[in-house]
Amino acid sequence: MATLACFHAHPDDESIATGGVMAKAKQDGHRVVLVVVTRGERGEIQPGVLDEGEALWERRVKETAAAAEVLGLDRVEFLGYEDSGMMGEPTNDLPGTFWTADVDEAADRLAEILRQEQVDVLTVYDEHGNYGHPDHIQVHRVGHLAGERAGVSRVLEATMDRDFIRQGMAEAAELGDLPDDFEPPEHTEESPFGSPADVITHEVDVTAFADRKRRALAAHASQVPPDSFFLSLDDDAFSTAFGREWFIDPSRPRAPGAPRVADLFEGMS
């Protein structure tokens, strides 16, 4: 048995990016730990979700616990920083936000958890945080440093296969499943989006866990309403769209033409 730790910026990120691999790892007999940096204080609130007097962060902590139960996680920890908001917002630079955090101090907080759990595999985000969110970029920086300090054997960067996603969206648009004026997202320096197919080293098939991933997402009701893009898809469409999870191993680039690794623990004793 090995231990997987997934390091995420906000509640619900875990279900979207690594919900499948966490559920799969647990079913395969591994210990699975989730570490969330913030409590998602600056998320958009869906109408009618919060109880009277309830703060958004309180609800998002409860939602994370509910999603963790769906996925079968063994431990959930919050690092205690505040949500920085989207890139360029004034909230980025407020004291206590993760974007203003001392990277060394934050890495030490995470490294302590990694040592306690004797983590074998740690997931972070790619260098631009998948889509340029400041907290996601900081997860990349802090996560790599913490993994090094804790002696984690394998640190993988959760990402999105932008080529696969763009192709799938284009095909859906041709079939009329998307608005006529829909345009697949572009990747630019100002607005990054995923990673090119040729740098992705790991692709994990999590279609067998699509229902669990969907239910974990639904647990985050303050952010993911029933009529959201995620939950409005039928089962087959959801499995197609979210039945793969992608990672980059920066220490072991994939040789041209080589297949992607299908399991995060492959090659580990």
Side-chain angles (χ1 to χ4, degrees):
M1 182 184 76
T3 299
L4 168 67
C6 292
F7 185 40
H8 285 284
H10 316 98
D12 79 18
D13 289 335
E14 85 291 334
S15 298
I16 297 169
T18 61
V21 296
M22 289 192 292
K24 181 178 185 299
K26 183 61 181 177
Q27 181 168 290
D28 290 345
H30 302 296
R31 181 169 174 82
V32 184
V33 176
L34 169 63
V35 182
V36 188
V37 175
T38 78
R39 297 178 296 189
E41 294 88 347
R42 294 190 170 87
E44 295 183 5
I45 307 172
Q46 293 301 315
V49 172
L50 300 184
D51 294 331
E52 184 176 354
E54 183 181 31
L56 176 60
W57 72 263
E58 294 177 292
R59 175 53 60 99
R60 298 197 75 178
V61 168
K62 296 173 185 174
E63 291 173 345
T64 303
E69 185 173 355
V70 170
L71 297 172
L73 309 188
D74 295 289
R75 179 180 178 183
V76 178
E77 293 287 345
F78 287 86
L79 277 197
Y81 294 96
E82 288 191 12
D83 188 341
S84 305
M86 298 297 288
M87 184 65 82
E89 293 182 356
T91 55
N92 293 172
D93 299 321
L94 291 177
T97 62
F98 192 44
W99 188 237
T100 64
D102 181 273
V103 171
D104 281 322
E105 179 185 346
D108 282 341
R109 290 192 196 183
L110 176 59
E112 177 59 27
I113 297 171
L114 301 180
R115 292 189 194 99
Q116 290 172 6
E117 292 290 344
Q118 298 182 326
V119 168
D120 301 285
V121 179
L122 169 67
T123 72
V124 298
Y125 300 132
D126 61 29
E127 63 182 358
H128 54 256
N130 290 344
Y131 64 98
H133 194 293
D135 289 336
H136 286 233
I137 295 171
Q138 198 78 312
V139 161
H140 172 86
R141 298 168 178 167
V142 170
H144 272 291
L145 183 57
E148 180 182 341
R149 289 181 175 177
V152 176
S153 300
R154 183 172 295 169
V155 180
L156 302 175
E157 299 172 0
T159 189
M160 297 177 286
D161 184 334
R162 77 168 71 120
D163 300 317
F164 171 84
I165 292 172
R166 282 176 55 82
Q167 179 181 348
M169 287 182 169
E171 291 173 354
E174 288 181 4
L175 293 172
D177 295 333
L178 293 173
D180 293 339
D181 60 352
F182 173 81
E183 293 185 6
E186 295 289 342
H187 171 81
T188 66
E189 185 174 345
E190 296 75 23
S191 183
F193 171 65
S195 300
D198 59 358
V199 305
I200 295 173
T201 58
H202 291 63
E203 178 179 323
V204 184
D205 182 348
V206 296
T207 53
F209 303 93
D211 177 66
R212 205 174 304 180
K213 185 171 181 175
R214 184 179 194 133
R215 287 189 287 119
L217 270 172
H220 292 282
S222 71
Q223 307 298 301
V224 188
D227 61 352
S228 67
F229 168 74
F230 299 108
L231 301 182
S232 61
L233 296 172
D234 63 36
D235 291 344
D236 288 343
F238 185 91
S239 184
T240 298
F242 299 103
R244 296 174 175 84
E245 292 175 359
W246 300 282
F247 301 86
I248 299 168
D249 185 343
S251 69
R252 299 178 182 84
R254 183 164 59 94
R260 294 174 177 175
V261 180
D263 188 276
L264 302 190
F265 301 95
E266 185 170 310
M268 303 184 75
S269 56

